[in-house]
Amino acid sequence: MLLFDYLNPFWWLAMAIIGFKLFALVDAALRRDDAYRAADKKTKGFWLIVLGLALGLDLLLGAYVLSNFLTLIGLVAAIVYMVDVRPAIKQLTDGRGGGRRNIGPYGPW
């Protein structure tokens, strides 16, 4: 029975969505709390709750893109985090959560 799951393209799509949401949640958890405020974004706790609920609901109910509207809402939240929040925080923290190093008023030096 599991062999047929691997042949189903919707199963692969569901696994990709769950993996994407998991990556967004882990990334949000590893970023510093003050970087969210410095980037003028919602707090770290807000993003952890939203992304955690999105991933948790997919794991409980299944990540069915065509029939589960909650999957799409959670996917949009993860995309917003990855496209808007993550680059702003990454730019401020210089990548991995460290402080701003070698940044002058006009850029890096």
Side-chain angles (χ1 to χ4, degrees):
M1 192 58 129
L2 288 176
L3 177 65
F4 295 113
D5 285 342
Y6 295 125
L7 298 176
N8 186 357
F10 290 111
W11 184 85
W12 286 103
L13 183 62
M15 291 301 107
I17 289 172
I18 288 174
F20 182 70
K21 288 180 182 181
L22 179 65
F23 178 78
L25 179 64
V26 169
D27 186 75
L30 293 178
R31 302 290 173 187
R32 292 183 357 210
D33 190 28
D34 60 341
Y36 289 86
R37 291 188 302 268
D40 198 27
K41 303 296 178 186
K42 295 281 187 185
T43 63
K44 180 178 182 175
F46 171 81
W47 284 108
L48 289 177
I49 289 171
V50 168
L51 295 172
L53 280 174
L55 180 64
L57 287 173
D58 279 352
L59 292 176
L60 285 175
L61 303 175
Y64 302 113
V65 179
L66 299 177
S67 64
N68 193 352
F69 191 65
L70 294 175
T71 298
L72 294 177
I73 292 172
L75 183 60
V76 168
I79 290 171
V80 167
Y81 174 80
M82 294 296 286
V83 173
D84 183 41
V85 178
R86 184 176 186 254
I89 293 172
K90 198 171 183 181
Q91 182 181 15
L92 285 176
T93 59
D94 202 27
R96 268 303 203 190
R100 295 176 71 172
R101 288 176 250 141
N102 298 331
I103 301 291
Y106 303 107
W109 50 276

